[in-house]
Amino acid sequence: RGRRPAYTHTHMHMQLETACRARVDGLTSRTALNGAEVELLSFHEASGRWCVRDAQSGEAVRIKPGNLTRIAMPTQLDSLGDDELAAVLSQVPFRDPQALIPPGFYWRPP
């Protein structure tokens, strides 16, 4: 059986990697964490889950990759030009990419 890389995991065309930020969604046992922003610490091979830290509470938990969606930090979006931003948003697995744009950030589709 092939081994997955220890610190990267691709899900829904968005690469999850150590130290990136993600949003939790679809948990059934820990529903309070749904919508939480987390930092990915490491990938736990034995469980097939990411070890993450809740950005607000500091709690560390393990979460399946399918319940994590990578998010860009506002500073990363600020540094992108219009064409680069359009390319990033075109890869987002949401029907409404405008919902991901931080408040106060103006972007006009090309």
Side-chain angles (χ1 to χ4, degrees):
R1 188 162 36 162
R3 287 183 51 114
R4 282 182 293 217
Y7 299 103
T8 61
H9 185 84
T10 301
H11 176 71
M12 292 174 40
H13 310 292
M14 303 286 287
Q15 187 176 25
L16 298 173
E17 57 190 357
T18 301
C20 80
R21 296 244 179 209
R23 187 155 323 278
V24 178
D25 185 24
L27 295 181
T28 56
S29 62
R30 300 281 309 267
T31 57
L33 288 174
N34 287 330
E37 186 176 310
V38 296
E39 177 184 359
L40 278 65
L41 303 174
S42 62
F43 189 76
H44 188 254
E45 292 284 338
S47 67
R49 297 169 191 244
W50 277 97
C51 300
V52 303
R53 182 181 312 124
D54 185 330
Q56 192 168 27
S57 71
E59 178 185 14
V61 295
R62 291 184 187 154
I63 298 179
K64 292 179 185 177
N67 295 108
L68 296 168
T69 302
R70 185 177 178 152
I71 55 176
M73 299 303 294
T75 55
Q76 292 173 318
L77 293 176
D78 289 341
S79 66
L80 298 178
D82 287 345
D83 292 338
E84 294 169 314
L85 185 57
V88 168
L89 291 177
S90 71
Q91 297 177 20
V92 176
F94 295 99
R95 295 189 185 274
D96 182 14
Q98 293 287 335
L100 297 175
I101 298 174
F105 185 89
Y106 176 75
W107 178 74
R108 179 177 41 86

